[in-house]
Amino acid sequence: KAGVTQTPRYLIKTRGQQVTLSCSPISGHRSVSWYQQTPGQGLQFLFEYFSETQRNKGNFPGRFSGRQFSNSRSEMNVSTLELGDSALYLCASSPLLGNEQFFGPGTRLTVL
Amino acid sequence: LAKTTQPISMDSYEGQEVNITCSHNNIATNDYITWYQQFPSQGPRFIIQGYKTKVTNEVASLFIPADRKSSTLSLPRVSLSDTAVYYCLVGRNYGNNRLAFGKGNQVVVIP
């Protein structure tokens, strides 16, 4: 069974731009979570989607948003990029809410 | 949500048993303790989960004392490939664990 895939793997943007990251969960998994990982803050939860609805949300500003499609694929969007948004963005899927999570390889975003 | 405290880093020699501790003083009655492992340039990977006493799988053992205010992940006979960051999470089943990965414990295995 294929694992969680994330595209693109690497991305370079400039301040003020916006970016959309994509995540395809493991087949059959209905929950998708997003995390931001930086050296200073570690791994921080952004939000979780299940059945196209946001079920949990971390403590991030409204510039960070996401959505989930009927096939469980998910996208996250960051608007008005700031230098501090440079990070590894990880997506994780699980069969249902509250199950063990399976992580993708991440998207490395660099904001210049 | 219960907060966890882990050492920032630790070193161990190849072939030794490594014990990684985690403090969670305000763990709630319904909370489980879950450990993940993350290698460089990869996403975290689930290792083990437990509620009390001891849990063992093919990768590790998890020891939880009676008061459940701490836990210890034990890796038997580590190899260089066990060099990774280890995260301890506390929450109800898996659900609330989305919120509390933190910075983890960097374990370096030395030849």
Side-chain angles (χ1 to χ4, degrees):
Chain A
K1 189 182 265 193
V4 176
T5 58
Q6 293 186 244
T7 56
R9 292 293 312 278
Y10 301 91
L11 203 50
I12 300 176
K13 292 286 188 178
T14 57
R15 280 181 299 174
Q17 287 187 309
Q18 74 165 19
V19 66
T20 299
L21 312 181
S22 180
C23 172
S24 292
I26 291 172
S27 178
H29 285 195
R30 297 172 61 189
S31 172
V32 173
S33 298
W34 288 90
Y35 293 83
Q36 180 195 67
Q37 186 169 36
T38 60
Q41 298 299 320
L43 194 57
Q44 295 183 287
F45 171 74
L46 281 156
F47 28 66
E48 177 176 22
Y49 286 86
F50 180 81
S51 293
E52 302 177 65
T53 302
Q54 189 180 91
R55 303 295 179 138
N56 288 297
K57 189 177 187 304
N59 189 26
F60 276 81
R63 299 185 298 107
F64 293 82
S65 63
R67 60 176 175 168
Q68 186 180 34
F69 301 96
S70 58
N71 62 357
S72 295
R73 191 177 69 85
S74 177
E75 290 180 345
M76 70 161 280
N77 185 277
V78 187
S79 62
T80 319
L81 283 167
E82 301 176 359
L83 296 179
D85 297 332
S86 293
L88 180 67
Y89 290 89
L90 290 159
C91 164
S93 76
S94 57
L96 296 170
L97 283 175
N99 287 90
E100 170 190 343
Q101 297 176 79
F102 297 81
F103 283 81
T107 294
R108 173 73 62 185
L109 172 65
T110 301
V111 182
L112 302 177
Chain B
L1 189 69
K3 179 181 160 69
T4 60
T5 303
Q6 299 179 249
I8 295 174
S9 65
M10 62 186 297
D11 296 341
S12 179
Y13 286 100
E14 200 172 12
Q16 288 186 331
E17 177 183 75
V18 172
N19 294 309
I20 307 169
T21 60
C22 180
S23 296
H24 26 82
N25 291 321
N26 59 340
I27 188 170
T29 303
N30 293 336
D31 287 344
Y32 282 72
I33 300 156
T34 310
W35 287 79
Y36 279 79
Q37 173 192 56
Q38 185 178 23
F39 298 115
S41 302
Q42 295 184 27
R45 180 180 71 127
F46 172 87
I47 300 176
I48 197 167
Q49 184 188 66
Y51 183 80
K52 62 180 180 180
T53 61
K54 176 184 175 183
V55 180
T56 297
N57 62 22
E58 65 279 3
V59 176
S61 294
L62 178 59
F63 298 92
I64 306 167
D67 66 5
R68 304 201 326 123
K69 293 184 183 299
S70 66
S71 58
T72 300
L73 176 73
S74 181
L75 305 175
R77 297 180 298 281
V78 293
S79 63
L80 298 179
S81 63
D82 291 315
T83 293
V85 177
Y86 292 83
Y87 297 93
C88 164
L89 289 76
V90 172
R92 292 180 191 152
N93 298 323
Y94 300 95
N96 287 349
N97 292 350
R98 276 81 165 126
L99 300 178
F101 269 86
K103 299 181 183 180
N105 182 342
Q106 172 69 63
V107 173
V108 176
V109 180
I110 305 166

